[in-house]
Structures are given as structure tokens and as C-alpha cells.
Amino acid sequence: MLRNYLKVALRNILKHKMFSLINIFGLSVSITTCLLIILLVYGQKRVDNFHEKGDRIVRVLSETDNGSFASTPLPLASTLLQGYPHILEDAVRIKSSFVGGDVIYDNRRIPLAGRYADDSFFKIFSFELIKGDPATVLEAPFSIVLTKESSEKIFGKEDPLGKSVKLNDIGLNTMDIALIPTENTETLIDDLVVTGVVDNTLSSHIQFEFLISMSTIPSLMKQGKSQATFDDWENYSDSYLYVLLQEGKTAQDLAPILADISKEKYAALDDVNISFGLERLSQITPGAFRQNPISLRMPIEVIYFLSFLGLVVLFSACFNYVNLSFARFLTRSKEVGVRKTMGAARYQVFVQFIIESVIIALLSLVVAIGLLQVLSIVFLDLWINQFLILDLTPDLMLFVLFIGFSVLVGGLAGLLPASFLSSFSPIKALRSFSGISLGNGKRFMLRKGLVLAQFCASLFFIITTLLIFAQLNYLLEKEYGFDQGNVVNIKLQGIEYGTLAHELGQNPAVETISASSFVPGTGGYSGSTKVKTLQMPDADLSSSYIGIDQNFIPNLKLSLIAGNNFSASIPKKDETMVVVNEALAQLLGYKEPKSIVGETILIGEDQSAVQVIGLTENYIFDLLTEADQDEPLLMRYLPDKFTYMNVRYHPTSDIGSMLLSMEEKWKKLDRVHSFKYEIYEEELKATNSIFADMMYVLGFISFLAITIASLGLLGMSAFTVESKKKEIGIRKVHGAGVKQVALWLSNSYLWLFALAILITIPIAYFMNTIWLEEFSYRVNFSIWIIAAGIAIMFVLGSSSVLSQTVKAAMNNPIKGLREE
Amino acid sequence: MLLQLRNIFKWVNSGGQRLFLLKDINLNVEEGEFISVMGPSGSGKSTLLNVIGMLDNFDEGEYEFLHESVHALKEKHRANLYKEYIGFVFQSYHLLDELTVKENLEMPLLYKKFKGTERKAMVADMLDRFNIVGKKDLFPTQLSGGQQQLVGVARALIANPKLILADEPTGNLNSAQSEEIMALFKQLNSEGVTIIQVTHSEKNAAYGSRVINLLDGRMIK
Ligand SMILES: Nc1ncnc2c1ncn2[C@@H]1O[C@H](COP(=O)(O)OP(=O)(O)OP(=O)(O)O)[C@@H](O)[C@H]1O
Ligand SMILES: [Mg+2]
């Protein structure tokens, strides 16, 4: 029986080549997208699944008014271990601040980044130690455990055990993305002894290139090289805490204890209130986003978002499939009738069509796996991938998952057509095949409904895609409000600004130089502070600030609309003046922003009074994704905070040779650090490459969706034409020309198209407005986007309809008649 | 007695009016009979045949088939009864285009749960008997109308039905071809198979043992 089904299915697939190709193509691209997402989620699930005691490891979180933090106060670990040994077997703290910089051995300097961790690290986690004893490697002060990779970088083939290295700590981190400013200071940590080598190739959310024993910190404190706070309960950003529960205990047993500790420590305090949450190791990746994360991971929201997109594509392909199958199965009502007259039960007919559908899905899977190979290369190249611990290596389990998924898709897509078709009574099925069928009203309506649905789906996708592109393009082209052209930003890395400015300023290519505490628009941040006025002492306004010098405003060509810039002779200490932006003035209640100039405002916790001497237009200083239209900003003269030097060069000068000579000067001033600079315009572009990536992903997805939908339309019109062969033949025999027949065939589509516009426009408008409003800077959802969508749809639709109708109209009429 | 129809009525509602397709049909069919149903176009011949074949329902009356009350049976029972005893021959053959001659013959057996070896034997037997062994791997579109109808009859016979229902089996055939089919029916009938055929041709009707005339859904003597 099954063989018979398979045979019929394959013959049908071959017979209706166009339908099969459209279906297989549509399904395979969407299955590919879904497989990629399955891979992604599956890869995330694989993170940290190698720890033998993994099911007993939980991470403690700090729940605060500012959100949920991955980190906790340092003293929490010992309080728990001493007080509750019946629940906790062990605990490990990992310092949240990175320790990193050049690791020095002999003449070699290798930049590496790592963490301080308690000695229990290797007893709790199952990272494999290639060398060294898990119980003791991190026990003694100044112990360092290297990863295999770091060990090879530093020692090559030499045995690292027992060797001593120095570390020039500048707070280098493994996150490897220069969005977060690292420390300006440096600390030399002497004589670390290598006690172990670890293989950390299995993916984990804890990433490091080396680990240093936590017991090193008290020794460093004695040397004055560290200010850790081992008994500070109010600082919850200092370390991460993972506890190992006793056998048979669960997170629920620990929760009330943590609640008690929280009450004891914080009930009496006004301004700090921390409660502790728990998270099982398996919940961390994939998991909800936590503040102060231990590593940058793909937030679960991204997974949701991608899954949603995958489902959209899958849905459009299934929709297509259902549509086309309906159309095609209708031509097979005769078969149903005959089979039923020959004794087939309903379920047998049903199973037959489902099997056909599953076969199509499995064929699509084969194509999809091929496509996946290509696609994963492209995907792994994406910029956002730097953030992700992403592992796309396939395994057997995945393969089973893939097949299961395809069978499910095939089954679901075939469900509707199969149950519809198998419900025909034999007499009805046979009769609808014979001559009467052309006038059969229900079938006619069904077909029109299918075409209409196809039009609506396509139009919706096209409009949505256009809007997404318009929005992303808008963000990419957005003017920041300052002039980033011909500017290089140089990181001071601890050198005094005046000294460096004097040295580099002599270069003839340099036009002007200024200093700032961060570079606007690149994700840097100096902090925020409370702002009040004398008139409004209760104002609850918190404003970001940037530390600048007197050259910054003219150098970046910010537009100063009232008042003055800082004068050249402004005193370096005792802040008395400030420049503000329009948004701040408005938020402080100045209806006419210019009138704030000359007023006195109070800033900071201590409410020091400063005079507003100037007002600039709003400009974007945050990352574009996070930027808000009216974000207040204080521009303060803070020489202590200078971290960057902004160099504007002559547009005609040769930047390459300018930078080269600057680097030489730099080397004379600073022998430790390398010369670090970013060309401003390029840095901003790189920062915004997330939009480009999103364009890439969304563009690809919507291309798929639109292609699938257009193919669906092509299939539908091919089907309509096929079912009207006889009528076309009769008309042509009676003298109708090609043009008349083609027009007659296409005519009904025009009405459906018009109807589709009426239905889809409001839906598209409503649905898209929802996400668009999430953006502070957004394009105008104009009538032109809708019009362009309709125009594109019209071109796509009419070309697929006309290609079929004209072909049919040109056919020899006798052919159409003979086949009936 | 093979089957008995008592006071069968069938109607459709059209514009608030009952349009009768069958009116008060009473019919007894003994095993081994060869009946021809005749009447003008639209008189309800096909409808009657479908009712007898349990492909279509009726609205009033009683129908007994081998002492089972068809009108009282559940859908599934009725299908089983039909599957076991009845073979259908269509005017327009209705062979499945995707299947070869051999596979078309095998198809009803699949639904009747015959074993693979049994099926093979039965199909081979039929091909032999109808002299179409040479055509067994061809598809229906590669056969002439007469050959197709031959396959259609073979398919109806393959599971050894007690009753064959044939709706204008020779409607699309030339006279030589129809004579061939009629001779075959005659032979089957002599082997004990009951046959009810719809026909417009007096000549074909003459092969039968009894003629039923229909007019506007009513039997006339
Ligand atoms: N489902 C239906 N709805 C409405 N009328 C029907 C239906 N089925 C059949 N009829 C009508 O019933 C009448 C009898 O139809 P039937 O097909 O039995 O005629 P017939 O005697 O087989 O004619 P022919 O010799 O042309 O095949 C016809 O007038 C037909 O239009
Ligand atoms: Mg008829």
C-alpha cells in the first residue's frame, strides 16, 4: 500500500513539474531558514552542557531597582558557605572586572585577558585541566592557570608549569569589542606562577584566556595595587557567584535563605535594596539578559526575533503550499472519486495526500541542507556574530531533529488540502470532474479566495520590507549633528592631554585638536548626574554629561546657538561653568531654550552651582539605536576625565603619513602602549554596521518571502489557466484572438488585486506602526511607501499572471479541447 | 434474493421546491440476473445505479442488500458491504492516469486488504483473461478507448464481485468494441455474476434478461 502511495506521489510530482518546483523551492528556502534557527538555538543549548555537576550549579543574581544583575556583593559567598553547609556544597566567586593586558615572559609580550576566580572553580565547573591539580591550581596567591591556547602563545612548546610571568594589567577584556572604554590606569602584577593549563574549547558562557587565584587580590591590596571590597555589601557589581548545591537540594531550598540575608543586610538601609535571585546553569544560555553580564551573549530576545522571522518565512511557504495544493488537488478530484468507488476509505485517501505532502517536504529538506551549507558561511560572517557564542557544527541528534521538523511541516501543510479532498463523496468528486465543473460556484469561489489571499500576503510583505529598508536607511544616513569628517580620535591611554596635544599638534596636517571624555555616537559614556535649578529645587532630572575642553565645540563644528564656548583661560579646577543642549534647557522648564544662558543650575549629588554659559543644538551622543530625540546633555570642562584626543586634519592631507609620524611621536612618549586611533567617520559606520547586518538578514528574509509569494501567484495563475483550457479552446475556435483571451483571463485578477489593496493596506499600516514607534528616530510611514509597494506588487503580479495567460491564449485551441 | 428496493424516493430542493430524481422505485433483483436500465436522458438512470451502488443516498424508502438493511447501516458498514460485493464500470472509464494498466487493476485490491502475492496472481489472471498482458505496463493515455474500457471492466471484476454496475459501459465505443464488452458481460453472467447496466441501445439491452424503463425518475412497465 505504502509503495503504491509513494509511486503515485512521485509520478504526480514529476507530472506537475512546475507546481512541484515552486513548492519544493519555497519549502526548501524556508526550511533552510528554520534549520538555521534550529541550529542556532541548539548551539545555544549546548553551551555549558559539559559540566558534570551542572544540574546542581546555580548562579546568584542581584535584583535591584536598576534591573537584574548577574553580579553579587563579594561577601555573600562566605556568608552562605559558613551559615548553610547543609544546603551548599561549595561556591565560587569570579571577579567581574577583567584583569588583562600584556603577559610578559622573557622578551615576549602577549596581550591576554582573564579573571580572578576562587580555588573552587575547577571543583565546581568541569573545565578540563590538561596540567595541574583541580583541587589546588587556584589556591596560592599569584597562581595563574592558562588556557591551552594562551600557553602556546606565550611558551610555545615549552612546559609552562612552574614558570613565572608578569602581567601588565590595563583592564583588557575578552569581550573584544571596543564599545566599552577600558581603564586608563595600569598595574604591573609581578611573578605570577603558572600552576595549570586548561582546555576551554567546549563552549561556555564563562570566557577567559587565563585565571588568576582570587587570593592574589589581598596581596595586591597590601602592595596598594588593588582596591577590592571584600566586605562591602552595597557593591553588587564586583563579582559573580556560582554555588554548588548539596545532592538533593534545589534552588527553592536556597531562595528563602537568600531572602533572609537580603533582609538582614539591607532592611536598615534607605538607598540600597537588593534582593537575590537564582538562575540554574542551564537557564543562563540561552537566557534573559542580565545587567553587568559575564560575557556578551545572544539575548534570548534575539532568538525570539529570529525565530519569529523564521516562522514568517515558513508560514509564507506553507501558505503557498496549501494554496497550490488546493489548486492542484482540485484537479485530482477524479482520482479521489475513482479510488473511493474502488473501496478506499476516507482515511486512506487522506493518508495518501499527506504522504505526498511529506515527500515534498523531505525533498525540500535535501535541498535545504545544501542551501544551509552556503547560508551558514554567510551568517557566520555577520558582524553581530562577534557577540554570540555560536556553534554551528552539526551532529546526529540535529539530523533527527531536521527530519522530524520536515515531516511535521509536510504534515501540517498537507493537512488542510488532504482533509478537504478526502471528504469528497465519490459521486461529487466524479461529477465535479466532468463538464459541469466549470460552473461549480463553490470551487470558483475557493479559487478566487486563494488568489486573493496570495495577493494580500505578497502586498503585505512588500510594504513591510520597503518600510524596514526605509527605516534602516534613515538610521544609517542620520546626521549626528556634528561633523565627523576628517577627524581622527586618539586614545590617550594615560598620557597627559596637554603633552600629547603639544607633540602631535606640530604636524602640518593637523588643523585643530580637542579633548573629550568619550567620543559621541560610539557607545562611550562618562556618567550621568542630577540637575536642578534654583527655581525648581525638586526637579527630578538626570542628565548625561561629557567632559570636553574649550576646543571641542568648534572642532566638531557643534552649533552653538546662544552664549559662549568655554574660554581659553578657564581654570582647570573648581567647575563654575557649563554648556548645555537644548533638550536640557527645555526639560528644566525653559520654554525659550536661549533664556537658560546666564542662569545658574545645580548639578551632582552635592548640588554645586554652575553657570550656564552656552547652549548648543541637540546632537546625537548615544549609540544611534539607543539615542532619544530629546536627551539632555551637559558639556562640562573636566580635564581629569579626558580620555580621547580629537584631531581634525586638513581634508587634502595624506592621513597615512600623518598617522605614521604621529605614531612615531607616540612611541617616544609611551613605550608601553601602542598607538590607538580610530578614523571617526569609519568608526561610526562600523558602530552602525548592526543596521547593515539587520538590513542583510531582513533583506534576505523578505526576499525569500516575496519570492515565495510571487511563485505562489505564478502557480495559481498557471492552475487557473490549466483549469480553463477547455473554455479557452472553445473561445478560440469561435474566433477570439490572443489579446482578447489573455485579457479575459487576466480581467478577474484586476478586481482581486483591487480588493487585496483595500484589505491589506490598513492591516499593513497598523502592524508596521507598532514596531516603527519603538524607534525614537524613525521615518515617516508615507503614502509613497504604500504606493511603491502597490506598484511593485502590480509589476510582479501582472508579470506572473500575464506570462501564464498569454501562453495559454497562444496555445493551439484543439489541444485544449482534446485533453478533456 | 440479492437486493430489494422498496418505495425509494430521492429528491433535491431547488428554489423551495422538491425536485424528484427518483419516485417510488420498487425493484427486486435475484442473483444471476442481467438487467438493463433504459430511459431518455435525464430520466434518473445514473441516479438509480448510484443508489444501488450505495454511492449516493436516498431520502425515503427501504433498501435491502443480501438481507442487510442498507438504509439503517452506518456509513462504514455500508462501505464494507459495497467493497466486498460490488464492482463499478464507468461510462468514461475513469482509469487513473498516473498508474499503469497493471497498477490500475491492482488498485481496488489494495483497499480490500489482499496480500501481495495474492494480488499479483489475481492481476496476472485478469490480464490473461482480457488478453491485455502486452499492455500491462502502459499508461491509460497510451490505450485506445476500447482498450481503456476493457481495463475498466477488468478492474471492476478483479475482486470477484457478486454484482456489477455498469453506467453506459459502451457509450464511447464503436459497435465492434461494444459487442466485445457485451459478450464479456454475457459470459460473466453465465458464470453467476449479477449485472445491472444502463444503456441507450436496444441491441445492448437485448443481452440482458430483463429491461427496466425509467421516465422522470419513475419506473414504467
Ligand atoms: N445533485 C443533483 N442536483 C440537482 N439535480 C440533479 C442532481 N443529480 C442529478 N440531477 C438531475 O436528476 C436528473 C437525472 O439525472 P441522471 O444523471 O440520473 O440522468 P440519466 O438518466 O443518467 O441521464 P443520461 O442518460 O443523460 O446520463 C437530471 O435531470 C439531473 O439534472
Ligand atoms: Mg447517466
Side-chain angles (χ1 to χ4, degrees), chain A residues 101-396:
Chain A
D102 288 348
V103 174
I104 307 159
Y105 175 71
D106 276 356
N107 295 327
R108 243 167 282 170
R109 305 173 71 103
I110 313 284
L112 294 173
R115 302 267 192 189
Y116 291 105
D118 277 327
D119 59 339
S120 47
F121 186 87
F122 288 103
K123 290 176 227 163
I124 293 177
F125 298 113
S126 306
F127 292 100
E128 189 200 344
L129 272 177
I130 305 168
K131 295 202 166 97
D133 174 10
T136 58
V137 276
L138 287 175
E139 209 169 70
F142 297 101
S143 300
I144 183 168
V145 174
L146 299 169
T147 62
K148 199 163 150 252
E149 204 179 330
S150 326
S151 163
E152 278 162 8
K153 274 190 204 158
I154 305 169
F155 297 103
K157 294 217 159 65
E158 276 180 71
D159 181 5
L161 277 198
K163 300 249 157 60
S164 74
V165 294
K166 289 188 176 74
L167 170 64
N168 185 24
D169 179 20
I170 53 163
L172 196 69
N173 69 45
T174 54
M175 297 196 190
D176 210 20
I177 294 162
L179 292 180
I180 300 138
T182 46
E183 293 162 32
N184 268 327
T185 53
E186 62 185 71
T187 320
L188 194 69
I189 305 173
D190 296 308
D191 300 320
L192 292 161
V193 178
V194 180
T195 53
V197 177
V198 60
D199 179 358
N200 69 339
T201 42
L202 292 172
S203 60
S204 169
H205 78 288
I206 304 172
Q207 293 179 300
F208 54 86
E209 290 170 321
F210 59 78
L211 293 170
I212 297 179
S213 55
M214 190 71 98
S215 54
T216 312
I217 295 177
S219 309
L220 287 176
M221 286 161 73
K222 269 182 220 141
Q223 298 175 9
K225 289 176 175 174
S226 168
Q227 308 132 325
T229 43
F230 279 96
D231 50 4
D232 185 355
W233 280 92
E234 293 179 30
N235 181 349
Y236 50 80
S237 60
D238 238 8
S239 88
Y240 307 103
L241 175 60
Y242 297 82
V243 302
L244 179 66
L245 298 168
Q246 291 283 6
E247 300 270 7
K249 298 291 179 193
T250 65
Q252 274 82 13
D253 299 314
L254 190 57
I257 293 168
L258 289 169
D260 287 348
I261 294 176
S262 159
K263 205 187 279 172
E264 184 198 325
K265 299 291 175 190
Y266 304 114
L269 300 174
D270 289 341
D271 48 347
V272 189
N273 190 12
I274 307 170
S275 60
F276 297 112
L278 289 166
E279 187 169 49
R280 274 180 280 115
L281 186 63
S282 60
Q283 290 173 318
I284 298 177
T285 321
F289 177 78
R290 308 282 175 212
Q291 306 282 343
N292 195 18
I294 187 164
S295 59
L296 287 175
R297 292 165 305 114
M298 181 157 50
I300 203 155
E301 289 82 1
V302 173
I303 296 183
Y304 288 150
F305 178 66
L306 288 175
S307 309
F308 171 73
L309 290 182
L311 285 180
V312 166
V313 176
L314 186 67
F315 176 79
S316 73
C318 280
F319 176 76
N320 221 7
Y321 185 89
V322 170
N323 240 351
L324 285 179
S325 302
F326 258 119
R328 185 158 68 84
F329 285 175
L330 287 179
T331 66
R332 291 175 64 183
S333 56
K334 166 188 157 186
E335 183 183 339
V336 176
V338 173
R339 284 183 184 273
K340 283 197 159 181
T341 343
M342 294 300 145
R346 176 173 182 180
Y347 83 88
Q348 287 168 316
V349 176
F350 178 80
V351 167
Q352 187 196 336
F353 285 114
I354 289 281
I355 284 179
E356 249 185 80
S357 176
V358 169
I359 288 177
I360 296 248
L362 287 175
L363 284 176
S364 310
L365 176 66
V366 176
V367 180
I369 287 176
L371 281 176
L372 189 63
Q373 304 302 322
V374 183
L375 207 64
S376 55
I377 299 169
V378 178
F379 194 82
L380 283 174
D381 256 4
L382 288 185
W383 180 83
I384 27 171
N385 228 16
Q386 294 178 28
F387 283 103
L388 320 174
I389 304 163
L390 185 63
D391 178 5
L392 291 185
T393 38
D395 64 16
L396 187 74

Side-chain angles (χ1 to χ4, degrees), chain A residues 455-468:
Chain A
F455 270 132
C456 290
S458 304
L459 191 56
F460 182 82
F461 278 127
I462 291 171
I463 290 177
T464 307
T465 308
L466 286 175
L467 188 65
I468 288 173

Side-chain angles (χ1 to χ4, degrees), chain B:
Chain B
M1 179 120 53
L2 183 66
L3 65 89
Q4 186 178 37
L5 301 178
R6 284 192 298 268
N7 310 104
I8 297 284
F9 286 83
K10 180 172 173 64
W11 64 77
V12 287
N13 288 317
S14 151
Q17 265 194 327
R18 268 186 192 175
L19 194 70
F20 283 91
L21 307 184
L22 294 176
K23 273 183 253 173
D24 198 20
I25 302 284
N26 288 286
L27 178 66
N28 292 340
V29 179
E30 301 289 340
E31 275 188 51
E33 275 199 275
F34 188 165
I35 299 175
S36 302
V37 182
M38 299 191 70
S41 190
S43 57
K45 306 182 294 293
S46 299
T47 311
L48 177 62
L49 212 65
N50 292 336
V51 165
I52 296 175
M54 303 174 206
L55 297 179
D56 215 350
N57 291 324
F58 48 91
D59 297 293
E60 223 179 271
E62 290 171 1
Y63 176 15
E64 268 182 33
F65 188 92
L66 286 173
H67 307 292
E68 297 231 41
S69 305
V70 175
H71 51 270
L73 283 179
K74 284 230 177 70
E75 178 74 37
K76 214 177 138 193
H77 257 99
R78 210 184 300 170
N80 283 335
L81 202 62
Y82 156 87
K83 211 150 76 171
E84 204 176 333
Y85 297 109
I86 299 177
F88 227 100
V89 183
F90 301 98
Q91 175 178 8
S92 43
Y93 332 134
H94 285 335
L95 300 178
L96 294 189
D97 294 337
E98 289 76 33
L99 299 181
T100 60
V101 167
K102 199 173 75 184
E103 288 158 356
N104 261 296
L105 290 182
E106 191 186 14
M107 196 245 306
L109 301 178
L110 290 170
Y111 295 120
K112 286 164 188 153
K113 304 268 169 325
F114 286 96
K115 284 202 200 72
T117 46
E118 263 181 292
R119 290 203 304 261
K120 265 209 184 105
M122 291 163 87
V123 170
D125 190 39
M126 270 298 146
L127 289 168
D128 228 21
R129 187 160 162 197
F130 283 76
N131 233 335
I132 46 175
V133 179
K135 310 256 183 284
K136 70 178 190 324
D137 291 320
L138 296 183
F139 287 92
T141 44
Q142 297 166 313
L143 300 178
S144 76
Q147 288 164 335
Q148 288 188 47
Q149 189 57 295
L150 226 50
V151 178
V153 175
R155 184 178 62 181
L157 289 179
I158 194 159
N160 300 315
K162 267 186 169 346
L163 172 64
I164 289 183
L165 300 172
D167 194 348
E168 295 184 51
T170 62
N172 290 329
L173 303 181
N174 64 32
S175 58
Q177 286 170 327
S178 30
E179 264 169 46
E180 206 177 326
I181 300 280
M182 280 302 123
L184 188 70
F185 277 5
K186 190 79 197 159
Q187 191 202 332
L188 286 169
N189 182 239
S190 67
E191 288 165 16
V193 181
T194 314
I195 296 174
I196 304 177
Q197 68 163 346
V198 170
T199 183
H200 283 291
S201 136
E202 292 288 347
K203 205 166 145 204
N204 287 350
Y207 284 87
S209 50
R210 174 149 73 107
V211 174
I212 293 166
N213 277 301
L214 282 185
L215 186 64
D216 291 338
R218 206 182 271 282
M219 279 172 72
I220 50 170
K221 288 284 146 357

